[in-house]
Structure formats: structure tokens, C-alpha cells
Amino acid sequence: MTLAAATNENLANLSNTLIYSAMAVYTLAFFAYITEWIFGSRSKIGRTAAALTTEAGAKAPAVTVKKAGSTAVLERPKVVVRAATGTRDVPDGPGAHGGDEKGDLYGRIAVSFTVLAFLIELGGVVARAASVERAPWGNMYEFNITFSTVAVGVYLSLLALKKNVRWLGLFLITTVLLDLGIAVTVLYTASDQLVPALHSYWLYIHVSTAILCGAVFYVGAVSTILYLFKDSYENKLATGGTPGQFATSFLERLPASASLDKFSYRVNAAVFPLWTFTIIAGAIWAGDAWGRYWGWDPKETWAFITWVAYACYLHARATAGWKGRKAAYLALVAFGCWLFNYYGVNIFVSGKHSYAGV
């Protein structure tokens, strides 16, 4: 074995070690997020905030104060929320910690573990790239470990921008652990060189944007699912129903449904132009590699179907009659198309993009 080959093998082993180490730290983060939610369920702050919320259309109660021996009646100031115009005036929940000091501490510990695991996983991805002296996107295993790294990076970037998204942490880390578990058990492929068609600078442009789009679409999908649960919860309260204790403890701490709806729309709308560019870049790369820009290969077809689905969602979201739950269902269908394009086409469908390696 040559020195270069031995070095590459050592780097590949280092990459595997770092990925497993990242999974261990992500597991610690998972338990810390769980603990944050548990302590938050014991807090009365979230339930108090919900109790102060008036029914849609009802006038807020007045506040009575004493002034110079007399009594004055003041209107309770309206609570400013991030709800969209025309929706229920429901304040955002306090967050997973529910206002509990210990819960907040465990939430910050969870974020710290997440940052550490992200850095370790990023090191694993870089080591994998160094072991083959190319971008680490030649097969499904490499795509998976890169995708989960980018998804966590998107979450941490939102936190760094002071966005109130820590409620995403538990759901993100759960799916990241599942993603890495599938990667190391089912999709693992030893380091190898690229097939000839992938030897192009377009690999860095096309695949990197596809990974980033998928990570952002994932964040949008999680917030959309939570929106549907929170909207049902708010509807039940508005109609006089009594949600279960678990649903109340969990859902009252999330942002208002209008806030979740707006957040998911904004992230999907922000990344949609980049997904458009991803398809265009792929077409240009196909022209260089195979002599045609579009051939209705299964991967190309489902990439286009995904584009159409998200375009329909964005159009529906901008149409008054399709806002809310109808648009949310379209968003989930669109993300389902992306998932099938990623897993289904790569693993179960043969085509020019069959690089799964499994």
C-alpha cells in the first residue's frame, strides 16, 4: 500500500469515527431537549398566558386602578402578536422551556451539545472529502451525512440570528439521528472515486445548492406540521372544546399557528429561487455530461415535479382562498416529492442519476 493510499484510508477511518462521535453527542442533545420539554410542562407560565388569551372577537377585560383616592378604569392594552391580519389574536407560547428556569437551562445545554455535535460531524464530512480528494457527494451515504450537517447548520444559523426557533431543536435532532442511523447502517459505502459523469465543477454548484435547499425545505416542513397541530388546538379552544392535558402542555408552548404558518411560508419562499437555480444548473451539467439538457430521467422528472409542487404552494399561499391548512397540505405534498426524489429515485429507480451505492 502506498503512502497516499494509507493516508486516505486513515482519513476515511477518522471520518467514520467522527460521524459516530457526532451521533453520540447528538444523543446527549436529544436528551437535553427532552428534559427542557419536561421541565416546561411543569411551568404554569404557558398555561397562564393561554388563560389570558381572549376568544376571537371578544373585547379584552378592563383594568381597574386606583388614582388619588379615586378609581379609574383603563382599557387593557392589546397584546402585540405575530399573527397575520385576519387571524385569531393568539400570543406566541413561551417556548419549550415554558418559562421554567431549569427548563431554559437544559435548553441552552441542548443547544451547546448541538453546536459541538455539528462541529464534530462537519469534521467527519471534511475528513471524508479529504480521503477521496473530492467533494463528499458521490453516493447516498456522503449525501446523507452532508445533508444532516447542513440542516443543523441552518437551525444554528437561525438561532445565531436571534430567531425564536429553539422549539425546532427536539424535532430536528430526532430526525438527524434517524438520518445518520440510516446512513451508517444501510447506506454506508466505502470511500471511492466518482463515476466519470460526476467529474465536473458543476458537482460543487448543483449538488451543494440541492443539499442546502433540502435542508431549508425540511425546516419548513417541520414548522408546517407543527402549524397543523397548533391550528387544530386553537380551533378546539375557540369552539369551546377541551384539548387533552398532553396536547395542552405541549402545544401551548409553541408559537401561535399564524406565526408558524408565516415562518414556514417565509423559509420555503426564500429557498424556492435557489431550487429553481439548482434545476437549471443540473440541466447545464447534463448538457456537458450527456450532450442533452433535459431527458426526463427519473431524477430530473421528480426534481421538476417538486418544483411545480412548491410553486403551487407559494401561489396558493398568496391566494386568499387557499391560505392556512389547504396551503399547508400542499407544502407537505411538495416536501414529500422532494423526499421521494432523494430516497425513492436514488434507491429504487434506475437512471442516469443512480449513484446511491447501495
Side-chain angles (χ1 to χ4, degrees):
M1 180 182 294
T2 64
L3 178 60
T7 301
N8 290 342
E9 183 178 355
N10 290 335
L11 287 170
N13 292 334
L14 174 62
S15 172
N16 295 339
T17 301
L18 289 173
I19 295 300
Y20 278 105
S21 299
M23 292 177 65
V25 181
Y26 277 133
T27 302
L28 295 177
F30 170 79
F31 284 116
Y33 281 119
I34 285 286
T35 306
E36 177 188 19
W37 281 93
I38 290 174
F39 273 100
S41 67
R42 298 165 51 181
S43 173
K44 295 182 179 180
I45 292 181
R47 287 184 287 279
T48 302
L52 291 175
T53 303
T54 58
E55 295 183 0
K59 185 178 180 181
V63 179
T64 301
V65 297
K66 292 183 177 180
K67 183 178 180 181
S70 61
T71 301
V73 178
L74 303 177
E75 293 294 333
R76 181 183 296 275
K78 183 179 180 180
V79 178
V80 178
V81 298
R82 293 180 294 166
T85 303
T87 59
R88 295 178 295 265
D89 276 344
V90 177
D92 288 340
H97 56 81
D100 183 89
E101 185 177 349
K102 287 187 177 179
D104 182 61
L105 173 62
Y106 279 104
R108 287 185 278 114
I109 291 174
V111 172
S112 299
F113 278 135
T114 303
V115 172
L116 178 59
F118 166 76
L119 294 176
I120 295 173
E121 187 181 12
L122 180 62
V125 173
V126 172
R128 176 78 177 197
S131 70
V132 288
E133 301 178 354
R134 57 167 173 79
W137 308 320
N139 51 60
M140 284 286 288
Y141 169 74
E142 295 174 353
F143 198 97
N144 261 44
I145 62 176
T146 306
F147 171 77
S148 59
T149 304
V150 174
V152 175
V154 170
Y155 167 68
L156 294 177
S157 298
L158 291 172
L159 287 178
L161 293 172
K162 307 299 182 182
K163 303 297 182 182
N164 180 26
V165 295
R166 205 164 77 191
W167 44 269
L168 269 173
L170 176 60
F171 311 101
L172 172 72
I173 297 307
T174 301
T175 49
V176 163
L177 284 171
L178 289 173
D179 177 77
L180 291 177
I182 293 173
V184 300
T185 56
V186 178
L187 302 177
Y188 181 77
T189 305
S191 299
D192 200 358
Q193 294 304 311
L194 295 173
V195 297
L198 295 181
H199 284 285
S200 171
Y201 61 89
W202 283 104
L203 172 70
Y204 297 90
I205 300 173
H206 173 65
V207 181
S208 63
T209 55
I211 292 173
L212 178 58
C213 288
V216 178
F217 282 148
Y218 162 77
V219 171
V222 172
S223 58
T224 299
I225 292 172
L226 294 177
Y227 156 74
L228 291 172
F229 281 106
K230 187 62 181 279
D231 184 64
S232 296
Y233 171 76
E234 292 176 2
N235 282 333
K236 195 166 189 177
L237 289 177
T239 56
T242 304
Q245 184 177 358
F246 175 78
T248 299
S249 175
F250 171 73
L251 294 172
E252 72 182 3
R253 286 178 275 161
L254 293 176
S257 62
S259 298
L260 290 169
D261 183 42
K262 185 183 296 184
F263 176 76
S264 59
Y265 169 69
R266 285 178 174 176
V267 296
N268 286 326
V271 80
F272 180 73
L274 187 60
W275 181 248
T276 304
F277 170 77
T278 301
I279 295 177
I280 295 173
I284 296 173
W285 187 10
D288 290 343
W290 301 316
R292 81 322 181 255
Y293 293 102
W294 196 267
W296 296 105
D297 181 77
K299 193 72 162 178
E300 298 168 347
T301 301
W302 276 96
F304 178 68
I305 291 173
T306 302
W307 184 90
V308 171
Y310 273 108
C312 289
Y313 160 71
L314 294 176
H315 176 72
R317 184 60 176 72
T319 304
W322 275 82
K323 287 183 179 179
R325 298 184 70 87
K326 292 181 180 179
Y329 292 137
L330 276 178
L332 293 181
V333 169
F335 185 68
C337 292
W338 187 90
L339 279 180
F340 182 77
N341 187 37
Y342 175 33
Y343 284 104
V345 173
N346 283 345
I347 296 175
F348 302 112
V349 182
S350 298
K352 289 183 176 294
H353 291 81
S354 299
Y355 308 129
V358 295

